[in-house]
Amino acid sequence: MKICVMPGDGIGPEIVAQALRVLDKVGDKFGRTFETSEALIGGCAIDAEGVPLPADTVAKCKDSDAVLLGAVGGPQWDTIDPSIRPEKGLLGIRKELGLFANVRPAKLFKQLADACYLRPDIVARGLDVMVVRELTGGIYFGEPRFDGEKDGERFGYNTMVYFEHEIRRIAKVAFEAARKRSKRVCSVDKANVLDVSRVWREIVIDEHKNYPDIELSHLYVDNAAMQLVRDPSQFDVLVTGNLFGDILSDEAAAITGSIGMLPSASLGAGNPGLFEPIHGSAPDIAGKDLANPLATILSVSMMLRHAFDMTEEADCVEQAVEKTLEQGYRTGDIRQEGAKSVGCTAMAEAVLANM
């Protein structure tokens, strides 16, 4: 299996290095061979080649069976031309690989229940939500767009656009995911005010005819945001567009207690998937061995499961992470009284020991 590794910026190189140690252990334990190549993306690519997504990176990704990413961005690139900011590299590789579906599980590990921001009675009902976000359409890519001046003042606009085929394929991903879970899908839109959302809702309803075993409901995005905090246990799979999904998936992640725990997968139709932790580059702790590597390690588990159909190997990684938490190991973002405080490297070593 060929994997293109893009450590990226900030804590990216640290967490990816530890995740690759876990991948090596999987190879040794199960007799698997993983061939890795490294590529630049984000701020480090800007510094080296002047663009956030070099052509060589795109070629390496397309020549791979899967892509593992750390993180992109940092304050040193905040004031550069917006057209070449580090985040453009992430958006660009998703587009180049046709990765239209971001699958992001937000699960509260029982060992971290005390770290959850919600009331104990809400936590007791459970938190296991999968957010399926459309990734290559919507307002982030819609045309026309403008940033400039009009009538003597600053002026800008973006366009939210969705075509029927884009909505159908993301709805299908959500319905298929629900079949492997609790068979419930909630589609999130803003159909009361947005024309594009009315189209979204109509197409999702039509596609649902192919999945009569799945329960489908709808929420406006503002209500969905409130309900996620009020009672996340009511949700199984959430499906929504690019902008709303960006916000809701981060909210779902944050209420689990730490975004340092959660992985994600960006998938397309037969192209190599992109697997990455949902947190950012955390430049304030970069290079200090303080970062939580578990989200990246769990991203490796998602890669094993979704890209390579290695269920046993993926389960092994996830069980090792759970056992490590059960033993009380904690990085700073999930620190608890009486726990064993460790850094990035030590946390990964504990996971390796439990494999």
Side-chain angles (χ1 to χ4, degrees):
M1 280 66 68
K2 297 172 66 175
I3 302 168
C4 182
V5 180
M6 301 188 294
D9 308 318
I11 62 172
E14 300 166 65
I15 55 178
V16 166
Q18 301 310 318
L20 290 178
R21 295 176 68 194
V22 171
L23 186 65
D24 287 342
K25 185 67 175 281
V26 169
D28 292 341
K29 182 178 176 65
F30 292 93
R32 303 290 192 176
T33 301
F34 302 101
E35 177 187 328
T36 61
S37 62
E38 193 164 308
L40 298 173
I41 192 171
C44 60
I46 294 171
D47 291 346
E49 302 194 28
V51 292
L53 184 63
D56 180 61
T57 296
V58 175
K60 284 184 178 180
C61 288
K62 288 184 176 181
D63 189 45
S64 300
D65 300 306
V67 180
L68 180 65
L69 172 67
V72 299
Q76 62 266 52
W77 302 288
D78 282 349
T79 58
I80 67 173
D81 183 347
S83 66
I84 60 165
R85 284 187 55 150
E87 294 76 13
K88 292 290 185 180
L90 184 55
L91 294 174
I93 195 61
R94 289 170 178 168
K95 195 77 171 180
E96 288 283 350
L97 298 179
L99 306 177
F100 62 84
N102 182 247
V103 179
R104 184 179 290 190
K107 177 181 178 181
L108 178 63
F109 289 86
K110 64 180 185 296
Q111 298 89 349
L112 300 178
D114 291 342
C116 182
Y117 297 125
L118 304 180
R119 296 197 317 262
D121 60 307
I122 298 175
V123 174
R125 294 197 287 268
L127 200 174
D128 186 2
V129 181
M130 177 172 283
V131 181
V132 178
R133 167 191 170 192
E134 199 290 321
L135 206 56
T136 57
I139 200 165
Y140 293 162
F141 294 97
E143 297 289 348
R145 63 178 61 206
F146 181 77
D147 175 4
E149 293 188 8
K150 182 178 181 181
D151 299 330
E153 61 180 335
R154 291 283 290 160
F155 170 69
Y157 61 83
N158 293 86
T159 307
M160 185 181 288
V161 179
Y162 271 115
F163 288 89
E164 178 177 341
H165 75 277
E166 295 175 303
I167 302 168
R168 284 195 185 278
R169 67 186 183 183
I170 196 67
K172 182 177 180 179
V173 170
F175 290 134
E176 294 286 351
R179 276 184 168 165
K180 300 175 183 178
R181 292 170 54 93
S182 299
K183 296 188 175 183
R184 292 179 290 120
V185 171
C186 179
S187 177
V188 178
D189 56 42
K190 194 62 177 170
N192 55 336
V193 294
L194 295 178
D195 294 322
V196 65
S197 279
R198 285 191 283 275
V199 173
W200 176 282
R201 182 172 294 205
E202 291 169 4
I203 299 303
V204 170
I205 290 172
D206 189 59
E207 185 62 28
H208 179 239
K209 296 174 183 176
N210 297 318
Y211 298 87
D213 55 320
I214 304 298
E215 175 188 326
L216 174 64
S217 60
H218 304 270
L219 282 179
Y220 297 143
V221 63
D222 42 358
N223 190 19
M226 178 183 71
Q227 295 297 333
L228 260 179
V229 175
R230 179 178 172 271
D231 181 17
S233 69
Q234 68 185 284
F235 296 114
D236 179 26
V237 175
L238 286 170
V239 62
T240 190
N242 210 340
L243 174 62
F244 300 155
D246 192 356
I247 297 166
L248 291 178
S249 57
D250 279 351
E251 180 189 7
I255 60 179
T256 65
S258 173
I259 59 175
M261 287 298 304
L262 302 178
S264 75
S266 299
L267 308 173
N271 295 324
L274 175 71
F275 302 86
E276 60 178 312
I278 71 163
H279 57 69
S281 60
D284 56 319
I285 61 170
K288 300 178 181 179
D289 194 38
L290 297 175
N292 186 346
L294 293 182
T296 317
I297 290 171
L298 290 169
S299 293
V300 166
S301 174
M302 290 193 77
M303 179 177 67
L304 294 169
R305 191 180 304 280
H306 291 279
F308 304 138
D309 292 323
M310 296 181 182
T311 302
E312 185 180 3
E313 291 86 339
D315 288 345
C316 175
V317 174
E318 292 170 12
Q319 290 163 9
V321 168
E322 290 228 33
K323 187 173 181 181
T324 299
L325 294 173
E326 194 72 44
Q327 292 167 341
Y329 291 97
R330 300 288 187 271
T331 47
D333 58 311
I334 53 174
R335 184 173 294 127
Q336 295 170 310
E337 188 174 347
K340 305 171 185 176
S341 295
V342 294
C344 183
T345 303
M347 179 64 92
E349 287 174 350
V351 173
L352 290 167
N354 285 323
M355 292 175 64

